[in-house]
Amino acid sequence: MNKSMKKNIRHFFLLTAFAAGTIHLVNRFIDFTASMKNILKTENGNFFDWKNGKIYYTRRGSGTPVLLIHDLSPLSSSYEWCRYAKKLEKQHTVYTIDLLGCGRSEKPYLTYTNYLYVQLITDFVKEVIKDAPTVIATGSSISFVTLAENMNNHLFHKIIAINPPMPEKFNRTPSNSSTLKKALLEVPILGTFIYNVKTHEKNIQKLFYTEYFNKPQLASSKMLDAYYEASHMNGSHGKYLMASIEGQYMDNCILHALKKLSIPFYVVESRSNPDSVQIVTSYAKQSSMIETAYISNVKHLPQLEAPDKLAEVIRMLFEREQQQSMNIYKNDSRYFSHDAFTQSVFLFMTLYFLTKCFSIYDTLFFYKMSFFYPYYFSVTAPLSECRLSSDMLSVYVFPYRSHK
């Protein structure tokens, strides 16, 4: 090897080291500046010490529990529900959660899978909420919510899916190309740089204007900053979740779980989504427990863009459920009334038989039986009182005075 070749190799390694150092400094600078506004504060919440990392959550209000789960993305956090949660606090105990790898929760270096979040949600409900909550989940998060209910029957009271994708979308498995994307994003310096490019402020703004909001002017700078900050908290370690999503490790078939549903399941889909009709139809045909509704003039995040409109749609769904429950109750009440009449007649005849067999003072004389609504009967006897002599049973019959 001649001197010129050695010199070129030396220059190559020096330039590579310099470039890597520069990129690392840029990555650190982005992490530092992204959290300067401190929009996602932790003072108002708590941390759940889960086995794979600390999970940030909030608890507000009082009443029946409601769990709000944000979309499955390293950009997202419980900030997604900040406007809608306030509307539930007066009647419900509202829990919001930052999923593992998102927002203020820890972001460990591991392969994120659907069943990882199934375990997280199951443990959170059992150890923190300690009751069956109504779950409202956005986008792809509905996949692990559905599977959690399938593995733990009646873990939830009801499920509401906000703009979920096609259920068939979760049938994918990792391929060679998706695995390569995952490996590239997990590279220490270069992968972090690629992640920072994907989560740049301009890309987040474009996402809001094209996919998240129907009216871009409603996307405030604070919302954009909150999503930017969430993606870069804990040293841009959100890239590990992004790597698992890009590698298709988060997908898991939910069709079998939808078919076995035993609790109410609601799908709220935006009409602005060009595939909304196909999505709603695909969910509705899976189970009779699934109810669907459309919401207009919004896109992927109605809870941020138009929380009042979302609240009205969910209220209408609940009223529909209550009306159906009332109809079932009325039908059951008719059968119950018939059964009560039969039981009353049986009890009366039993008492009559016992008094005939065991009375020692006088013989009961039945001279009138009247039925009033609903199925009321009365008995008269010449005696003011009749006591059975059995030690085990005493029966009193008080006279009925008819008005002549």
Side-chain angles (χ1 to χ4, degrees), residues 218-251:
L218 296 179
S220 66
S221 58
K222 184 178 181 180
M223 293 179 186
L224 300 177
D225 290 338
Y227 273 69
Y228 182 59
E229 181 177 326
S231 64
H232 292 283
M233 295 187 75
N234 297 328
S236 294
H237 287 177
K239 72 174 186 177
Y240 301 121
L241 173 58
M242 178 179 284
S244 296
I245 295 174
E246 293 283 346
Q248 299 178 2
Y249 284 83
M250 285 300 308
D251 295 329

PDB file of all heavy atoms in Angstrom, residues 218-251:
ATOM      1  N   LEU A 218     -57.133  26.120  12.187  1.00  0.00           N
ATOM      2  CA  LEU A 218     -57.452  25.783  13.573  1.00  0.00           C
ATOM      3  C   LEU A 218     -56.276  25.130  14.298  1.00  0.00           C
ATOM      4  O   LEU A 218     -56.321  24.966  15.511  1.00  0.00           O
ATOM      5  CB  LEU A 218     -58.662  24.842  13.621  1.00  0.00           C
ATOM      6  CG  LEU A 218     -59.989  25.410  13.101  1.00  0.00           C
ATOM      7  CD1 LEU A 218     -61.085  24.354  13.189  1.00  0.00           C
ATOM      8  CD2 LEU A 218     -60.391  26.656  13.889  1.00  0.00           C
ATOM      9  N   ALA A 219     -55.247  24.766  13.558  1.00  0.00           N
ATOM     10  CA  ALA A 219     -54.060  24.162  14.183  1.00  0.00           C
ATOM     11  C   ALA A 219     -53.176  25.273  14.731  1.00  0.00           C
ATOM     12  O   ALA A 219     -52.471  25.957  13.985  1.00  0.00           O
ATOM     13  CB  ALA A 219     -53.305  23.331  13.158  1.00  0.00           C
ATOM     14  N   SER A 220     -53.212  25.461  16.037  1.00  0.00           N
ATOM     15  CA  SER A 220     -52.454  26.545  16.666  1.00  0.00           C
ATOM     16  C   SER A 220     -50.975  26.198  16.743  1.00  0.00           C
ATOM     17  O   SER A 220     -50.578  25.027  16.649  1.00  0.00           O
ATOM     18  CB  SER A 220     -52.999  26.825  18.067  1.00  0.00           C
ATOM     19  OG  SER A 220     -52.779  25.713  18.922  1.00  0.00           O
ATOM     20  N   SER A 221     -50.177  27.215  16.943  1.00  0.00           N
ATOM     21  CA  SER A 221     -48.734  26.999  17.077  1.00  0.00           C
ATOM     22  C   SER A 221     -48.418  26.181  18.327  1.00  0.00           C
ATOM     23  O   SER A 221     -47.448  25.419  18.348  1.00  0.00           O
ATOM     24  CB  SER A 221     -48.007  28.348  17.124  1.00  0.00           C
ATOM     25  OG  SER A 221     -48.489  29.142  18.216  1.00  0.00           O
ATOM     26  N   LYS A 222     -49.253  26.312  19.367  1.00  0.00           N
ATOM     27  CA  LYS A 222     -49.029  25.538  20.587  1.00  0.00           C
ATOM     28  C   LYS A 222     -49.221  24.046  20.321  1.00  0.00           C
ATOM     29  O   LYS A 222     -48.473  23.214  20.847  1.00  0.00           O
ATOM     30  CB  LYS A 222     -49.977  26.004  21.688  1.00  0.00           C
ATOM     31  CG  LYS A 222     -49.741  25.324  23.022  1.00  0.00           C
ATOM     32  CD  LYS A 222     -50.669  25.864  24.103  1.00  0.00           C
ATOM     33  CE  LYS A 222     -50.406  25.185  25.445  1.00  0.00           C
ATOM     34  NZ  LYS A 222     -51.307  25.699  26.515  1.00  0.00           N
ATOM     35  N   MET A 223     -50.209  23.697  19.518  1.00  0.00           N
ATOM     36  CA  MET A 223     -50.418  22.285  19.168  1.00  0.00           C
ATOM     37  C   MET A 223     -49.216  21.728  18.425  1.00  0.00           C
ATOM     38  O   MET A 223     -48.727  20.637  18.734  1.00  0.00           O
ATOM     39  CB  MET A 223     -51.671  22.142  18.299  1.00  0.00           C
ATOM     40  CG  MET A 223     -52.975  22.444  18.986  1.00  0.00           C
ATOM     41  SD  MET A 223     -54.363  22.260  17.842  1.00  0.00           S
ATOM     42  CE  MET A 223     -55.717  22.856  18.861  1.00  0.00           C
ATOM     43  N   LEU A 224     -48.728  22.489  17.452  1.00  0.00           N
ATOM     44  CA  LEU A 224     -47.577  22.044  16.674  1.00  0.00           C
ATOM     45  C   LEU A 224     -46.348  21.886  17.563  1.00  0.00           C
ATOM     46  O   LEU A 224     -45.597  20.913  17.443  1.00  0.00           O
ATOM     47  CB  LEU A 224     -47.291  23.031  15.548  1.00  0.00           C
ATOM     48  CG  LEU A 224     -48.421  23.250  14.530  1.00  0.00           C
ATOM     49  CD1 LEU A 224     -48.023  24.318  13.513  1.00  0.00           C
ATOM     50  CD2 LEU A 224     -48.762  21.953  13.825  1.00  0.00           C
ATOM     51  N   ASP A 225     -46.169  22.838  18.478  1.00  0.00           N
ATOM     52  CA  ASP A 225     -45.021  22.767  19.392  1.00  0.00           C
ATOM     53  C   ASP A 225     -45.136  21.573  20.341  1.00  0.00           C
ATOM     54  O   ASP A 225     -44.125  20.942  20.679  1.00  0.00           O
ATOM     55  CB  ASP A 225     -44.916  24.062  20.202  1.00  0.00           C
ATOM     56  CG  ASP A 225     -44.498  25.257  19.350  1.00  0.00           C
ATOM     57  OD1 ASP A 225     -43.906  25.025  18.277  1.00  0.00           O
ATOM     58  OD2 ASP A 225     -44.779  26.398  19.755  1.00  0.00           O
ATOM     59  N   ALA A 226     -46.357  21.264  20.774  1.00  0.00           N
ATOM     60  CA  ALA A 226     -46.556  20.135  21.687  1.00  0.00           C
ATOM     61  C   ALA A 226     -46.200  18.814  21.005  1.00  0.00           C
ATOM     62  O   ALA A 226     -45.568  17.938  21.609  1.00  0.00           O
ATOM     63  CB  ALA A 226     -48.002  20.107  22.176  1.00  0.00           C
ATOM     64  N   TYR A 227     -46.577  18.662  19.759  1.00  0.00           N
ATOM     65  CA  TYR A 227     -46.244  17.439  19.023  1.00  0.00           C
ATOM     66  C   TYR A 227     -44.745  17.360  18.734  1.00  0.00           C
ATOM     67  O   TYR A 227     -44.146  16.275  18.793  1.00  0.00           O
ATOM     68  CB  TYR A 227     -47.049  17.373  17.724  1.00  0.00           C
ATOM     69  CG  TYR A 227     -48.399  16.725  17.912  1.00  0.00           C
ATOM     70  CD1 TYR A 227     -49.401  17.368  18.651  1.00  0.00           C
ATOM     71  CD2 TYR A 227     -48.681  15.481  17.390  1.00  0.00           C
ATOM     72  CE1 TYR A 227     -50.632  16.785  18.845  1.00  0.00           C
ATOM     73  CE2 TYR A 227     -49.910  14.875  17.574  1.00  0.00           C
ATOM     74  CZ  TYR A 227     -50.887  15.524  18.313  1.00  0.00           C
ATOM     75  OH  TYR A 227     -52.109  14.935  18.519  1.00  0.00           O
ATOM     76  N   TYR A 228     -44.154  18.498  18.439  1.00  0.00           N
ATOM     77  CA  TYR A 228     -42.707  18.535  18.196  1.00  0.00           C
ATOM     78  C   TYR A 228     -41.941  18.188  19.478  1.00  0.00           C
ATOM     79  O   TYR A 228     -40.984  17.409  19.462  1.00  0.00           O
ATOM     80  CB  TYR A 228     -42.318  19.916  17.691  1.00  0.00           C
ATOM     81  CG  TYR A 228     -40.858  20.077  17.354  1.00  0.00           C
ATOM     82  CD1 TYR A 228     -40.237  19.280  16.405  1.00  0.00           C
ATOM     83  CD2 TYR A 228     -40.084  21.053  18.000  1.00  0.00           C
ATOM     84  CE1 TYR A 228     -38.890  19.438  16.094  1.00  0.00           C
ATOM     85  CE2 TYR A 228     -38.748  21.222  17.695  1.00  0.00           C
ATOM     86  CZ  TYR A 228     -38.148  20.407  16.737  1.00  0.00           C
ATOM     87  OH  TYR A 228     -36.814  20.566  16.435  1.00  0.00           O
ATOM     88  N   GLU A 229     -42.395  18.722  20.586  1.00  0.00           N
ATOM     89  CA  GLU A 229     -41.752  18.446  21.865  1.00  0.00           C
ATOM     90  C   GLU A 229     -41.914  16.981  22.262  1.00  0.00           C
ATOM     91  O   GLU A 229     -40.964  16.353  22.761  1.00  0.00           O
ATOM     92  CB  GLU A 229     -42.353  19.349  22.944  1.00  0.00           C
ATOM     93  CG  GLU A 229     -41.742  19.178  24.315  1.00  0.00           C
ATOM     94  CD  GLU A 229     -42.321  20.140  25.344  1.00  0.00           C
ATOM     95  OE1 GLU A 229     -42.664  21.281  24.960  1.00  0.00           O
ATOM     96  OE2 GLU A 229     -42.426  19.743  26.522  1.00  0.00           O
ATOM     97  N   ALA A 230     -43.108  16.426  22.048  1.00  0.00           N
ATOM     98  CA  ALA A 230     -43.352  15.025  22.403  1.00  0.00           C
ATOM     99  C   ALA A 230     -42.429  14.082  21.644  1.00  0.00           C
ATOM    100  O   ALA A 230     -41.947  13.080  22.188  1.00  0.00           O
ATOM    101  CB  ALA A 230     -44.809  14.665  22.126  1.00  0.00           C
ATOM    102  N   SER A 231     -42.154  14.412  20.387  1.00  0.00           N
ATOM    103  CA  SER A 231     -41.322  13.525  19.570  1.00  0.00           C
ATOM    104  C   SER A 231     -39.851  13.549  19.977  1.00  0.00           C
ATOM    105  O   SER A 231     -39.099  12.636  19.638  1.00  0.00           O
ATOM    106  CB  SER A 231     -41.450  13.913  18.094  1.00  0.00           C
ATOM    107  OG  SER A 231     -40.939  15.220  17.867  1.00  0.00           O
ATOM    108  N   HIS A 232     -39.432  14.592  20.719  1.00  0.00           N
ATOM    109  CA  HIS A 232     -38.012  14.727  21.063  1.00  0.00           C
ATOM    110  C   HIS A 232     -37.732  14.661  22.561  1.00  0.00           C
ATOM    111  O   HIS A 232     -36.595  14.886  22.981  1.00  0.00           O
ATOM    112  CB  HIS A 232     -37.474  16.048  20.507  1.00  0.00           C
ATOM    113  CG  HIS A 232     -37.423  16.080  19.009  1.00  0.00           C
ATOM    114  ND1 HIS A 232     -36.451  15.439  18.287  1.00  0.00           N
ATOM    115  CD2 HIS A 232     -38.243  16.666  18.103  1.00  0.00           C
ATOM    116  CE1 HIS A 232     -36.655  15.639  16.997  1.00  0.00           C
ATOM    117  NE2 HIS A 232     -37.747  16.369  16.857  1.00  0.00           N
ATOM    118  N   MET A 233     -38.725  14.328  23.344  1.00  0.00           N
ATOM    119  CA  MET A 233     -38.474  14.168  24.775  1.00  0.00           C
ATOM    120  C   MET A 233     -37.659  12.899  25.012  1.00  0.00           C
ATOM    121  O   MET A 233     -37.734  11.939  24.250  1.00  0.00           O
ATOM    122  CB  MET A 233     -39.793  14.119  25.552  1.00  0.00           C
ATOM    123  CG  MET A 233     -40.585  15.422  25.506  1.00  0.00           C
ATOM    124  SD  MET A 233     -42.023  15.404  26.591  1.00  0.00           S
ATOM    125  CE  MET A 233     -41.242  15.594  28.187  1.00  0.00           C
ATOM    126  N   ASN A 234     -36.887  12.896  26.059  1.00  0.00           N
ATOM    127  CA  ASN A 234     -36.029  11.750  26.411  1.00  0.00           C
ATOM    128  C   ASN A 234     -35.023  11.432  25.321  1.00  0.00           C
ATOM    129  O   ASN A 234     -34.763  10.268  24.985  1.00  0.00           O
ATOM    130  CB  ASN A 234     -36.879  10.511  26.719  1.00  0.00           C
ATOM    131  CG  ASN A 234     -37.778  10.708  27.925  1.00  0.00           C
ATOM    132  OD1 ASN A 234     -37.428  11.426  28.859  1.00  0.00           O
ATOM    133  ND2 ASN A 234     -38.939  10.097  27.901  1.00  0.00           N
ATOM    134  N   GLY A 235     -34.440  12.483  24.755  1.00  0.00           N
ATOM    135  CA  GLY A 235     -33.332  12.292  23.826  1.00  0.00           C
ATOM    136  C   GLY A 235     -33.691  11.652  22.503  1.00  0.00           C
ATOM    137  O   GLY A 235     -32.916  10.846  21.976  1.00  0.00           O
ATOM    138  N   SER A 236     -34.837  11.983  21.941  1.00  0.00           N
ATOM    139  CA  SER A 236     -35.252  11.444  20.635  1.00  0.00           C
ATOM    140  C   SER A 236     -35.323   9.923  20.619  1.00  0.00           C
ATOM    141  O   SER A 236     -35.190   9.298  19.561  1.00  0.00           O
ATOM    142  CB  SER A 236     -34.304  11.926  19.516  1.00  0.00           C
ATOM    143  OG  SER A 236     -34.409  13.316  19.332  1.00  0.00           O
ATOM    144  N   HIS A 237     -35.552   9.311  21.769  1.00  0.00           N
ATOM    145  CA  HIS A 237     -35.655   7.860  21.817  1.00  0.00           C
ATOM    146  C   HIS A 237     -36.982   7.351  21.274  1.00  0.00           C
ATOM    147  O   HIS A 237     -37.219   6.140  21.246  1.00  0.00           O
ATOM    148  CB  HIS A 237     -35.439   7.362  23.247  1.00  0.00           C
ATOM    149  CG  HIS A 237     -34.011   7.450  23.666  1.00  0.00           C
ATOM    150  ND1 HIS A 237     -33.588   7.113  24.939  1.00  0.00           N
ATOM    151  CD2 HIS A 237     -32.895   7.843  23.007  1.00  0.00           C
ATOM    152  CE1 HIS A 237     -32.278   7.298  25.037  1.00  0.00           C
ATOM    153  NE2 HIS A 237     -31.842   7.739  23.872  1.00  0.00           N
ATOM    154  N   GLY A 238     -37.818   8.282  20.862  1.00  0.00           N
ATOM    155  CA  GLY A 238     -39.037   7.876  20.175  1.00  0.00           C
ATOM    156  C   GLY A 238     -38.748   7.168  18.861  1.00  0.00           C
ATOM    157  O   GLY A 238     -39.642   6.548  18.271  1.00  0.00           O
ATOM    158  N   LYS A 239     -37.511   7.251  18.416  1.00  0.00           N
ATOM    159  CA  LYS A 239     -37.134   6.583  17.165  1.00  0.00           C
ATOM    160  C   LYS A 239     -37.281   5.074  17.258  1.00  0.00           C
ATOM    161  O   LYS A 239     -37.495   4.401  16.246  1.00  0.00           O
ATOM    162  CB  LYS A 239     -35.699   6.946  16.783  1.00  0.00           C
ATOM    163  CG  LYS A 239     -34.628   6.322  17.661  1.00  0.00           C
ATOM    164  CD  LYS A 239     -33.226   6.601  17.127  1.00  0.00           C
ATOM    165  CE  LYS A 239     -32.157   5.858  17.920  1.00  0.00           C
ATOM    166  NZ  LYS A 239     -30.804   6.065  17.350  1.00  0.00           N
ATOM    167  N   TYR A 240     -37.187   4.516  18.472  1.00  0.00           N
ATOM    168  CA  TYR A 240     -37.312   3.068  18.613  1.00  0.00           C
ATOM    169  C   TYR A 240     -38.756   2.616  18.343  1.00  0.00           C
ATOM    170  O   TYR A 240     -38.984   1.547  17.760  1.00  0.00           O
ATOM    171  CB  TYR A 240     -36.851   2.629  19.990  1.00  0.00           C
ATOM    172  CG  TYR A 240     -35.418   2.990  20.278  1.00  0.00           C
ATOM    173  CD1 TYR A 240     -35.066   3.792  21.354  1.00  0.00           C
ATOM    174  CD2 TYR A 240     -34.400   2.546  19.428  1.00  0.00           C
ATOM    175  CE1 TYR A 240     -33.744   4.130  21.601  1.00  0.00           C
ATOM    176  CE2 TYR A 240     -33.076   2.881  19.662  1.00  0.00           C
ATOM    177  CZ  TYR A 240     -32.753   3.683  20.749  1.00  0.00           C
ATOM    178  OH  TYR A 240     -31.437   4.025  20.983  1.00  0.00           O
ATOM    179  N   LEU A 241     -39.726   3.417  18.775  1.00  0.00           N
ATOM    180  CA  LEU A 241     -41.116   3.115  18.438  1.00  0.00           C
ATOM    181  C   LEU A 241     -41.345   3.297  16.944  1.00  0.00           C
ATOM    182  O   LEU A 241     -42.002   2.463  16.302  1.00  0.00           O
ATOM    183  CB  LEU A 241     -42.061   4.018  19.236  1.00  0.00           C
ATOM    184  CG  LEU A 241     -43.540   3.931  18.857  1.00  0.00           C
ATOM    185  CD1 LEU A 241     -44.060   2.508  19.003  1.00  0.00           C
ATOM    186  CD2 LEU A 241     -44.374   4.908  19.680  1.00  0.00           C
ATOM    187  N   MET A 242     -40.812   4.384  16.383  1.00  0.00           N
ATOM    188  CA  MET A 242     -40.953   4.601  14.943  1.00  0.00           C
ATOM    189  C   MET A 242     -40.330   3.457  14.158  1.00  0.00           C
ATOM    190  O   MET A 242     -40.877   3.007  13.132  1.00  0.00           O
ATOM    191  CB  MET A 242     -40.317   5.926  14.528  1.00  0.00           C
ATOM    192  CG  MET A 242     -40.390   6.199  13.032  1.00  0.00           C
ATOM    193  SD  MET A 242     -39.654   7.770  12.533  1.00  0.00           S
ATOM    194  CE  MET A 242     -40.921   8.923  13.064  1.00  0.00           C
ATOM    195  N   ALA A 243     -39.188   2.957  14.624  1.00  0.00           N
ATOM    196  CA  ALA A 243     -38.526   1.843  13.941  1.00  0.00           C
ATOM    197  C   ALA A 243     -39.408   0.597  13.943  1.00  0.00           C
ATOM    198  O   ALA A 243     -39.506  -0.110  12.928  1.00  0.00           O
ATOM    199  CB  ALA A 243     -37.184   1.548  14.605  1.00  0.00           C
ATOM    200  N   SER A 244     -40.068   0.321  15.060  1.00  0.00           N
ATOM    201  CA  SER A 244     -40.941  -0.850  15.134  1.00  0.00           C
ATOM    202  C   SER A 244     -42.180  -0.679  14.257  1.00  0.00           C
ATOM    203  O   SER A 244     -42.670  -1.652  13.667  1.00  0.00           O
ATOM    204  CB  SER A 244     -41.352  -1.105  16.588  1.00  0.00           C
ATOM    205  OG  SER A 244     -40.230  -1.430  17.383  1.00  0.00           O
ATOM    206  N   ILE A 245     -42.692   0.561  14.175  1.00  0.00           N
ATOM    207  CA  ILE A 245     -43.843   0.818  13.307  1.00  0.00           C
ATOM    208  C   ILE A 245     -43.443   0.667  11.847  1.00  0.00           C
ATOM    209  O   ILE A 245     -44.143   0.020  11.054  1.00  0.00           O
ATOM    210  CB  ILE A 245     -44.415   2.220  13.576  1.00  0.00           C
ATOM    211  CG1 ILE A 245     -44.992   2.299  14.996  1.00  0.00           C
ATOM    212  CG2 ILE A 245     -45.499   2.561  12.556  1.00  0.00           C
ATOM    213  CD1 ILE A 245     -45.440   3.689  15.407  1.00  0.00           C
ATOM    214  N   GLU A 246     -42.305   1.259  11.471  1.00  0.00           N
ATOM    215  CA  GLU A 246     -41.821   1.149  10.095  1.00  0.00           C
ATOM    216  C   GLU A 246     -41.485  -0.308   9.744  1.00  0.00           C
ATOM    217  O   GLU A 246     -41.660  -0.739   8.601  1.00  0.00           O
ATOM    218  CB  GLU A 246     -40.572   2.010   9.910  1.00  0.00           C
ATOM    219  CG  GLU A 246     -40.816   3.509  10.016  1.00  0.00           C
ATOM    220  CD  GLU A 246     -41.448   4.086   8.778  1.00  0.00           C
ATOM    221  OE1 GLU A 246     -41.461   3.392   7.739  1.00  0.00           O
ATOM    222  OE2 GLU A 246     -41.944   5.230   8.839  1.00  0.00           O
ATOM    223  N   GLY A 247     -41.021  -1.055  10.723  1.00  0.00           N
ATOM    224  CA  GLY A 247     -40.698  -2.461  10.490  1.00  0.00           C
ATOM    225  C   GLY A 247     -41.892  -3.385  10.522  1.00  0.00           C
ATOM    226  O   GLY A 247     -41.746  -4.595  10.371  1.00  0.00           O
ATOM    227  N   GLN A 248     -43.118  -2.814  10.749  1.00  0.00           N
ATOM    228  CA  GLN A 248     -44.376  -3.555  10.776  1.00  0.00           C
ATOM    229  C   GLN A 248     -44.431  -4.571  11.919  1.00  0.00           C
ATOM    230  O   GLN A 248     -45.126  -5.589  11.827  1.00  0.00           O
ATOM    231  CB  GLN A 248     -44.621  -4.248   9.432  1.00  0.00           C
ATOM    232  CG  GLN A 248     -44.725  -3.281   8.275  1.00  0.00           C
ATOM    233  CD  GLN A 248     -44.930  -3.956   6.934  1.00  0.00           C
ATOM    234  OE1 GLN A 248     -45.032  -5.179   6.862  1.00  0.00           O
ATOM    235  NE2 GLN A 248     -44.988  -3.179   5.861  1.00  0.00           N
ATOM    236  N   TYR A 249     -43.719  -4.283  13.000  1.00  0.00           N
ATOM    237  CA  TYR A 249     -43.767  -5.144  14.179  1.00  0.00           C
ATOM    238  C   TYR A 249     -44.979  -4.829  15.059  1.00  0.00           C
ATOM    239  O   TYR A 249     -45.286  -5.585  15.977  1.00  0.00           O
ATOM    240  CB  TYR A 249     -42.485  -5.000  14.996  1.00  0.00           C
ATOM    241  CG  TYR A 249     -41.299  -5.709  14.388  1.00  0.00           C
ATOM    242  CD1 TYR A 249     -40.543  -5.118  13.386  1.00  0.00           C
ATOM    243  CD2 TYR A 249     -40.930  -6.987  14.804  1.00  0.00           C
ATOM    244  CE1 TYR A 249     -39.456  -5.761  12.818  1.00  0.00           C
ATOM    245  CE2 TYR A 249     -39.853  -7.652  14.246  1.00  0.00           C
ATOM    246  CZ  TYR A 249     -39.117  -7.022  13.243  1.00  0.00           C
ATOM    247  OH  TYR A 249     -38.044  -7.676  12.671  1.00  0.00           O
ATOM    248  N   MET A 250     -45.660  -3.707  14.777  1.00  0.00           N
ATOM    249  CA  MET A 250     -46.801  -3.317  15.583  1.00  0.00           C
ATOM    250  C   MET A 250     -48.105  -3.914  15.071  1.00  0.00           C
ATOM    251  O   MET A 250     -49.148  -3.787  15.716  1.00  0.00           O
ATOM    252  CB  MET A 250     -46.926  -1.785  15.607  1.00  0.00           C
ATOM    253  CG  MET A 250     -45.897  -1.096  16.480  1.00  0.00           C
ATOM    254  SD  MET A 250     -45.990  -1.603  18.208  1.00  0.00           S
ATOM    255  CE  MET A 250     -47.713  -1.352  18.542  1.00  0.00           C
ATOM    256  N   ASP A 251     -48.082  -4.523  13.910  1.00  0.00           N
ATOM    257  CA  ASP A 251     -49.313  -5.035  13.304  1.00  0.00           C
ATOM    258  C   ASP A 251     -49.643  -6.426  13.830  1.00  0.00           C
ATOM    259  O   ASP A 251     -48.752  -7.272  13.985  1.00  0.00           O
ATOM    260  CB  ASP A 251     -49.174  -5.079  11.778  1.00  0.00           C
ATOM    261  CG  ASP A 251     -49.018  -3.686  11.186  1.00  0.00           C
ATOM    262  OD1 ASP A 251     -49.580  -2.742  11.768  1.00  0.00           O
ATOM    263  OD2 ASP A 251     -48.339  -3.542  10.155  1.00  0.00           O
TER     264      ASP A 251
END
